[in-house]
Amino acid sequence: MFTIIIAVVSAAVAAAASVACFDISRVNSVWIGLGVFFIIQITIGLIIRKKVNNITGEIQTLMEKTQNKLNRKIAQMQSRPMSSPKSAQQMLEKEQNQALMQALAITDKAKPYFKWNLMLKRQINTMKMMLHYQLREFKKVDALLPHCFIFDARSVAIKAVRMYKNNDPKMEKYLAKKCRRFKGDDAVLLYALYSWILVKAEKYELASAVLAQAKNRLDNPVLNANRENLVNGKVKHFSNANLGEAWYSLYLEEPKIKQQRVVQRGF
């Protein structure tokens, strides 16, 4: 908001001054004003973007350091297994959650720039929403979702999961639309999620139809196997487990054998 105000005032002053001081025509003064307006906008925009990039870079560095640290601990545990795998998992998750909370604290550094960029608050809210989801703070996720950018497949999946958990009747229509929009691995995740929800609701024919649609667009062994299982009445064999972390990070299911999950999210 401040950026626009400063740009407009500067443009108006420049236009008026060009007429009063340099005897420039009103038409040319308008062009001068527009030039000043865009220069101010671009200059301030670049400054704010650099500030925000420093903040997101700090978060990225924190996450990378945390991942490397956890990877070393996992390697040590594999060479010298602990007596309680559950305790080891809890220890790793505790350390990971501490890093996530530090990342949330870092996002607060962007608050002073919200008044300079109208879209920045939504950008930071999206980042915070993802971090809260990884912490399983789902009420905070629900509060932030209406104020986020929902563009990428993971944010779409998270929104769909929360709609499902909150019994939102618009969830199926939302996911059906988003499945058609994405391609590749992004589409695989959304089709897997959509079909899983339908199976849980015992809508087996619709789930099979969704996976048939996916087969026409993608060639994914997990989706294809799930479709074959549904067609042949083997509902109990339906599973998204082979999608690995992409699936389990949605927290709809826990792996039968506990995986040591570490976070690596791009911002």
Side-chain angles (χ1 to χ4, degrees), residues 13-266:
V13 170
S18 65
V19 173
C21 300
F22 301 102
D23 196 26
I24 293 174
S25 69
R26 291 187 180 277
V27 173
N28 288 333
S29 71
V30 170
W31 286 109
I32 290 171
L34 286 173
V36 170
F37 176 84
F38 287 117
I39 289 170
I40 295 292
Q41 283 270 68
I42 292 169
T43 302
I44 295 178
L46 290 173
I47 293 170
I48 298 301
R49 189 168 78 171
K50 184 178 180 180
K51 298 285 187 182
V52 174
N53 284 345
N54 289 339
I55 293 169
T56 56
E58 187 177 350
I59 293 173
Q60 187 68 42
T61 300
L62 171 64
M63 293 293 100
E64 288 174 356
K65 286 182 178 179
T66 301
Q67 182 188 10
N68 292 335
K69 187 176 180 181
L70 293 179
N71 283 342
R72 288 194 297 271
K73 289 193 174 184
I74 290 170
Q76 290 172 359
M77 291 174 185
Q78 289 172 341
S79 62
R80 293 176 296 173
M82 293 179 65
S83 58
S84 173
K86 186 175 180 180
S87 297
Q89 177 73 14
Q90 289 174 343
M91 181 183 72
L92 292 171
E93 287 182 350
K94 181 179 179 181
E95 194 157 339
Q96 176 178 288
N97 289 345
Q98 288 175 345
L100 292 169
M101 288 186 285
Q102 288 178 42
L104 279 167
I106 293 171
T107 63
D108 289 338
K109 294 181 179 181
K111 285 183 178 179
Y113 309 118
F114 288 173
K115 293 179 180 179
W116 294 92
N117 186 323
L118 295 176
M119 296 292 103
L120 180 57
K121 187 172 183 178
R122 277 187 175 269
Q123 180 184 338
I124 298 300
N125 281 343
T126 305
M127 195 182 300
K128 292 174 69 174
M129 180 271 291
M130 296 283 197
L131 293 168
H132 282 302
Y133 194 87
Q134 289 173 256
L135 286 165
R136 305 193 190 212
E137 296 175 341
F138 299 126
K139 288 185 178 180
K140 292 180 179 180
V141 172
D142 291 342
L144 283 169
L145 273 170
H147 311 290
C148 293
F149 288 125
I150 310 296
F151 290 150
D152 65 293
R154 180 166 173 78
S155 61
V156 168
I158 288 174
K159 180 176 179 178
V161 169
R162 295 313 302 154
M163 293 173 78
Y164 168 68
K165 289 292 186 179
N166 292 324
N167 299 312
D168 190 326
K170 297 179 182 178
M171 181 274 302
E172 287 189 29
K173 185 177 180 181
Y174 175 76
L175 256 183
K177 179 180 178 181
K178 296 300 181 181
C179 282
R180 293 190 295 269
R181 174 187 163 191
F182 288 91
K183 299 178 181 179
D185 290 342
D186 291 339
V188 169
L189 178 62
L190 296 182
Y191 275 116
L193 172 60
Y194 190 16
S195 58
W196 183 90
I197 290 172
L198 292 172
V199 167
K200 287 296 178 180
E202 299 184 357
K203 298 180 180 180
Y204 305 129
E205 289 187 9
L206 182 54
S208 180
V210 166
L211 291 173
Q213 180 190 90
K215 188 174 182 179
N216 290 332
R217 299 186 57 220
L218 308 160
D219 184 19
N220 181 269
V222 175
L223 300 183
N224 293 341
N226 281 338
R227 179 178 175 275
E228 290 298 321
N229 287 328
L230 292 179
V231 169
N232 295 316
K234 299 179 181 179
V235 178
K236 291 183 179 179
H237 293 282
F238 181 99
S239 173
N240 289 326
N242 285 336
L243 293 178
E245 178 64 13
W247 173 248
Y248 289 119
S249 65
L250 294 178
Y251 302 132
L252 289 169
E253 293 182 314
E254 290 293 332
K256 291 181 181 179
I257 299 175
K258 280 278 186 179
Q259 297 179 351
Q260 307 297 349
R261 290 205 291 264
V262 293
V263 179
Q264 186 178 23
R265 305 292 179 209

